[in-house]
Amino acid sequence: MYRYPGSTFKEVLESHITISDYDVAVKSESTSTVTKTAAGLGSKNGVYSTNGVHELLECPVCTSLMYPPIHQCPNGHTLCSNCKVRVHNCCPTCRYDLGNIRCLALEKVAESLELPCTYQSFGCHDIFPYYSKLKHEQHCRFRPYNCPYAGSECSITGDIPTLVAHLKDDHKVDMHDGCTFNHRYVKSNPHEVENATWMLTVFNCFGRQFCLHFEAFQLGMAPVYMAFLRFMGDDNDSKKFSYSLEVGANGRKLIWQGIPRSIRDSHRKVRDSQDGLIIQRNLALYFSGGDRQELKLRVTGRIWKEE
């Protein structure tokens, strides 16, 4: 099966947390990057927010935690610097002109707070000083993953079991058990397709999941096909595996060997890095046999675990 979204290929975008202009490394004792666990909430330097103080730091517009500069209107209503621009400098609560008043008291209160990681429900039980929390969450190993399905703007995020069930039930992807594969990709008129992505295939191997991608796109002025593997997990774990891809016919053969890329890297990022098996269209049609007017390409491969 294949799918081509049109002249513009749409990728699954990586989600990024926007940081304010404020330098996260505030010069204060409470900004130590040493983390605490939920078992040790009693801190002399910080207050773990069980009394609702941290709710005062939630922006009323975007509901995200606010970081300096925190703005306030003449009536004392606060909001974050990003939303100050979005509301055109008009207080969303009382409609007064915001001006350039800083809420220094609230910024100071924030320095004394210690909060749990946002991804606590996913398994991160560390506690962080307020101004270190955001930086940690950008790289927290427990943060949810984006759906790896290519060619759509799927907004689903979650842990790996959640995404595996989502891919199977919602995207109807092919699921296979085993560490070897033999896939045939067919297109009746490949000259009409400049941007196409074939149905994603997921392999259950060594108790982990791997996504096999195959697609057509323009590399400069040359039409090419590309196959590559992504690992459903973090980059550190992906490096524990290797894989090979092979395609050929008529006494010729192309072989690729590499390390699967983590789905932390977007599909588009991996594709644009050319980190996979790339086949020029003319060669792909030669491998297909016949009159070279139809794509009938067989890609074989295997996945193995490095010692």
Side-chain angles (χ1 to χ4, degrees):
M1 297 178 67
Y2 68 95
R3 201 172 40 76
Y4 50 97
S7 59
T8 303
F9 184 89
K10 295 184 178 180
E11 60 167 316
V12 180
L13 296 176
E14 285 186 294
S15 64
H16 294 279
I17 301 175
T18 302
I19 307 178
S20 70
D21 294 334
Y22 179 73
D23 185 355
V24 177
V26 178
K27 294 181 180 179
S28 169
E29 291 182 0
S30 65
T31 59
S32 168
T33 57
V34 177
T35 63
K36 299 177 177 62
T37 63
L41 299 182
S43 170
K44 295 180 180 179
N45 294 329
V47 178
Y48 175 64
S49 182
T50 57
N51 56 9
V53 174
H54 75 284
E55 294 178 2
L56 297 174
L57 288 157
E58 290 183 358
C59 174
V61 178
C62 66
T63 70
S64 298
L65 291 177
M66 295 184 289
Y67 292 86
I70 298 174
H71 297 276
Q72 69 175 31
C73 75
N75 290 324
H77 303 125
T78 58
L79 80 166
C80 72
S81 56
N82 288 334
C83 290
K84 181 175 183 288
V85 176
R86 290 169 57 187
V87 299
H88 305 292
N89 209 39
C90 178
C91 177
T93 304
C94 66
R95 316 308 297 176
Y96 267 73
D97 184 26
L98 286 168
N100 291 301
I101 307 173
R102 289 273 294 275
C103 188
L104 299 179
L106 194 56
E107 292 177 9
K108 191 66 177 178
V109 168
E111 289 187 25
S112 67
L113 290 181
E114 291 180 341
L115 300 175
C117 175
T118 297
Y119 308 122
Q120 188 177 48
S121 62
F122 289 93
C124 184
H125 301 300
D126 289 334
I127 306 298
F128 294 89
Y130 188 85
Y131 290 134
S132 299
K133 177 176 176 287
L134 187 63
K135 186 174 182 180
H136 157 78
E137 289 171 351
Q138 288 184 300
H139 305 285
C140 178
R141 65 188 182 93
F142 293 100
R143 70 191 189 278
Y145 298 88
N146 296 317
C147 173
Y149 194 78
S152 71
E153 294 182 345
C154 183
S155 60
I156 296 297
T157 63
D159 58 16
I160 298 303
T162 298
L163 290 184
V164 170
H166 163 67
L167 289 170
K168 181 180 179 180
D169 298 336
D170 299 330
H171 292 300
K172 311 299 181 184
V173 305
D174 295 328
M175 297 279 183
H176 294 275
D177 293 322
C179 300
T180 61
F181 43 90
N182 187 338
H183 271 46
R184 190 165 179 257
Y185 299 98
V186 178
K187 180 68 179 75
S188 59
N189 191 347
H191 294 281
E192 292 181 352
V193 180
E194 297 300 334
N195 287 299
T197 177
W198 273 252
M199 181 64 76
L200 179 69
T201 305
V202 174
F203 294 92
N204 297 301
C205 177
F206 299 108
R208 307 304 293 265
Q209 288 75 38
F210 301 81
C211 301
L212 178 63
H213 298 266
F214 184 82
E215 60 191 83
F217 63 98
Q218 291 284 134
L219 185 58
M221 297 298 294
V224 300
Y225 296 95
M226 182 175 177
F228 56 92
L229 202 70
R230 294 166 77 202
F231 173 73
M232 294 188 69
D234 277 338
D235 186 60
N236 288 338
D237 289 330
S238 71
K239 294 175 181 177
K240 299 175 183 177
F241 301 92
S242 294
Y243 75 101
S244 64
L245 297 172
E246 181 178 310
V247 62
N250 302 319
R252 280 88 171 170
K253 183 185 297 185
L254 285 177
I255 299 176
W256 164 266
Q257 180 174 321
I259 297 171
R261 296 279 287 273
S262 166
I263 59 172
R264 292 287 189 205
D265 289 336
S266 70
H267 163 268
R268 182 63 176 268
K269 181 178 179 179
V270 179
R271 193 197 77 173
D272 288 352
S273 71
Q274 303 174 37
D275 191 5
L277 176 65
I278 296 178
I279 314 155
Q280 299 291 328
R281 177 189 283 169
N282 288 338
L283 185 57
L285 295 177
Y286 180 73
F287 287 158
S288 300
D291 57 4
R292 302 190 184 188
Q293 297 302 309
E294 184 177 23
L295 179 73
K296 294 181 178 179
L297 205 60
R298 187 174 297 277
V299 176
T300 62
R302 70 183 184 95
I303 305 166
W304 64 93
K305 193 171 185 178
E306 297 289 352
E307 296 297 334

